[in-house]
């Protein structure tokens, strides 16, 4: 939506024009400057080459997964008020409700050569399990002609396929059933309350770490 695009543009300007480095401060400044209708979750990651580290600020149900050796070794949890009700930013002057950018979860992640960082919207994470993401990444990095963009495109394609599969037992479907069980205060087996993938916007960004001084 317009708000999400505006927020992202202001985040980029904070980094490129004002050289703001802390992801949470980038997000806070961008939020203050974005005066558009709508709302959005947000995920900002700074790769710090000098110390081989990534600093992450995540607000909402986007997520960042670190794939190493064919497995997810670290992942950001979703930040939600309740199931399918993520924290979001909006412009209160335009009548939107908004959480604070200072609510964002922050993480520092050590990086190694060969690591692949997968940043995805809920359109990816509601349709692909972490193990599937790791397996697909592990297969793609075996081909030296592939790039981070190729990996991102392949993950987005896989998520789209699952989203359009009405019989797929998606992460979202499992989450919906689990939330229903908690609501009814029962751990007994309930009929599935949702079946299939979840149609949603799908955004995937990949960073593939090659060595101490270069990230693809």
């Amino acid at each position: 939506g317009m708000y999400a695009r505006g927020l992202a543009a202001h985040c980029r300007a904070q980094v490129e024009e004002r050289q703001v480095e802390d992801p949470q401060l980038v997000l806070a400044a961008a939020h203050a400057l974005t005066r558009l209708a709508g709302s959005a979750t947000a995920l900002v990651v700074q790769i710090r080459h000098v110390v081989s580290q990534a600093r992450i600020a995540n607000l909402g149900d986007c997520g960042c997964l670190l794939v190493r050796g064919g497995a997810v070794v670290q992942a950001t949890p979703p930040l939600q008020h309740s199931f399918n009700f993520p924290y979001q930013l909006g412009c209160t002057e335009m009548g939107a409700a908004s959480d604070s950018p200072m609510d964002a979860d922050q993480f520092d992640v050590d990086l190694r050569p060969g690591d692949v960082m997968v940043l995805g919207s809920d359109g990816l994470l509601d349709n692909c399990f972490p193990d599937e993401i790791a397996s697909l990444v592990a297969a793609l990095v075996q081909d030296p002609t592939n790039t981070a963009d190729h990996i991102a495109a392949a993950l987005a394609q896989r998520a789209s396929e699952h989203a359009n599969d009405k019989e797929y037992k998606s992460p979202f479907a499992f989450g919906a059933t689990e939330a229903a069980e908690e609501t009814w205060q029962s751990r007994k087996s309930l009929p599935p309350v949702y079946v299939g993938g979840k149609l949603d916007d799908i955004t995937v960004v990949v960073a593939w770490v090659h060595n101490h001084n270069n990230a693809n």
Side-chain angles (χ1 to χ4, degrees), residues 114-118 133 136-156 204-210 214-216:
D115 285 351
V116 176
M117 292 189 70
V118 177
I133 292 173
L136 184 54
V137 168
L140 291 169
V141 298
Q142 299 305 310
D143 184 346
T145 65
N146 281 332
T147 66
D149 286 344
H150 286 123
I151 297 171
L155 288 169
V204 185
V205 176
V206 167
W208 186 357
V209 182
H210 286 289
N214 181 39
N216 179 11

Side-chain angles (χ1 to χ4, degrees), residues 3-17:
Y3 183 87
R5 289 183 173 87
L7 184 70
H10 283 301
C11 283
R12 180 171 183 170
Q14 290 299 307
V15 174
E16 294 184 349
E17 298 171 16

Side-chain angles (χ1 to χ4, degrees), residues 96-190:
S98 181
D99 294 297
S100 168
M102 305 314 290
D103 291 329
D105 283 334
Q106 293 191 89
F107 307 90
D108 287 327
V109 177
D110 292 328
L111 301 176
R112 301 177 187 173
D115 285 351
V116 176
M117 292 189 70
V118 177
L119 286 62
S121 67
D122 57 336
L124 172 69
L125 301 175
D126 282 342
N127 288 298
C128 293
F129 290 95
D131 286 350
E132 181 179 15
I133 292 173
S135 294
L136 184 54
V137 168
L140 291 169
V141 298
Q142 299 305 310
D143 184 346
T145 65
N146 281 332
T147 66
D149 286 344
H150 286 123
I151 297 171
L155 288 169
Q157 178 62 34
R158 180 69 61 84
S160 179
E161 292 168 1
H162 287 328
N164 286 281
D165 184 346
K166 296 180 180 179
E167 303 299 323
Y168 174 59
K169 295 179 180 179
S170 64
F172 183 84
F174 277 99
T177 299
E178 184 178 73
E181 290 174 346
E182 291 176 356
T183 299
W184 288 97
Q185 297 182 341
S186 169
R187 301 311 301 173
K188 295 179 182 178
S189 242
L190 294 177

